[in-house]
């Protein structure tokens, strides 16, 4: 087995009667990006808070090691090895970006000279030099996220938790953040990413786990997860409403989109299934104006796994 940056077994957490994490196993090899996906309230932030020592797991959880250190017996070493950014941002809006950085350097006991050098290097790297002397409250969303991440990097963490790092950012800022995240991993860090953007997980993560009802519903690479789900479909589009209605009657399994006169028929994209659709249309004497075949994307995976559709759980796709 590779060295694991995060290894957690049987992670449990309840608030009163509410079970948030019901025995979650996580293993993240060093130098990789792992993404935890799940609907709102699934427990992603709770998992990040436990792994970053902000709250404790319930008794009955198994061993949890982060950065090679045991979370229960050696939380100080865990804290020294990690960085956390995201929903509980450390940025103080009343002081400047540079002052925020220097404060972080103090917290990490860097000398004055070393602190200034590190702050300057990171402000430069995150394109914040021009704004460095302005109060952080005046920064845009993207700049605040970059400052937050820059502050985290002052402590040169080996394991970085990014809790929804691009939520609310415009597409350009999101792409900038993706470039930064890739660089962190290229430099040898491990990234544990929670996100509600499936595209983000697809784009960045080496492995993805989908959290649902307190458990990991499925885990694997983006491609492996897509293969689990019969999310593929054939889309037929019509310009003639009468042809559309007649096709909809002929293909009762099709989901209708009355507004754009389109039908969506579940299909694995195979020749046999395509022929069946075309034969049905021929028999009814209708012709579609457009036919497209769609293979499943992570959206299909997400909806199938978090929509109450039962999958043989937990579905773990071996990656070796
Ligand atoms: N301190 C707390 N006391 C009681 N319930 C809590 C507490 N913290 C979280 N919860 C509940 O635990 C569940 C999981 O919350 P969590 O914030 O981990 O979800 P999440 O997956 O990060 O969601 P989101 O995508 O909305 O941020 C939610 O139902 C939440 O209301």
């Amino acid at each position: 087995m590779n060295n694991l940056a995060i290894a957690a077994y049987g992670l449990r957490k309840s608030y009163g009667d509410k079970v948030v994490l019901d025995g979650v196993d996580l293993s993240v090899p060093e130098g990789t990006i792992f993404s935890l996906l799940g609907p709102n309230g699934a427990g992603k932030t709770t998992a990040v808070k436990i792994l970053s020592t902000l709250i404790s797991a319930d008794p009955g959880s198994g061993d949890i090691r982060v950065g090679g250190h045991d979370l229960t017996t050696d939380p100080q070493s865990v804290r020294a090895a990690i960085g956390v950014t995201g929903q509980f941002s450390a940025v103080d809006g009343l002081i400047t970006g540079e002052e925020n950085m220097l404060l972080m350097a103090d917290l990490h006991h860097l000398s004055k000279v070393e602190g200034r050098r590190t702050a300057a290097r990171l402000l430069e790297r995150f394109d914040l030099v021009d704004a460095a002397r302005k109060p952080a409250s005046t920064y845009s969303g993207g700049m605040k996220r970059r400052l937050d991440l820059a502050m985290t990097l002052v402590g040169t963490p080996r394991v970085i938790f990014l809790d929804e790092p691009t939520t609310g950012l415009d597409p350009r800022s999101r792409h900038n953040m993706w470039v930064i995240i890739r660089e962190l991993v290229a430099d040898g860090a491990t990234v544990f990413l929670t996100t509600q953007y499936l595209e983000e997980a697809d784009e960045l993560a080496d492995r993805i786990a989908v959290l649902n009802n307190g458990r990991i519903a499925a885990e694997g690479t983006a491609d492996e997860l897509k293969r689990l789900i019969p999310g593929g479909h054939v889309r037929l589009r019509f310009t003639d409403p009468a042809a559309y209605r007649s096709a909809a009657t002929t293909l009762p399994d099709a989901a209708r989109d009355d507004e754009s006169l389109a039908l969506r028929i579940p299909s694995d994209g195979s020749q046999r299934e395509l022929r069946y659709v075309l034969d049905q249309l021929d028999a009814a004497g209708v012709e579609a104006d457009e036919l497209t075949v769609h293979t499943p994307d992570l959206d299909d995976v997400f909806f199938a796994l978090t929509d109450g559709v039962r999958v043989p759980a937990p579905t773990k796709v071996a990656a070796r």
Side-chain angles (χ1 to χ4, degrees), residues 15 18 20 38-47 87 163-164 196:
Y15 291 107
K18 184 172 173 53
V20 179
N40 286 339
K44 304 180 296 292
T45 302
T46 302
Q87 295 187 11
D163 195 16
E164 302 196 6
Q196 28 174 305

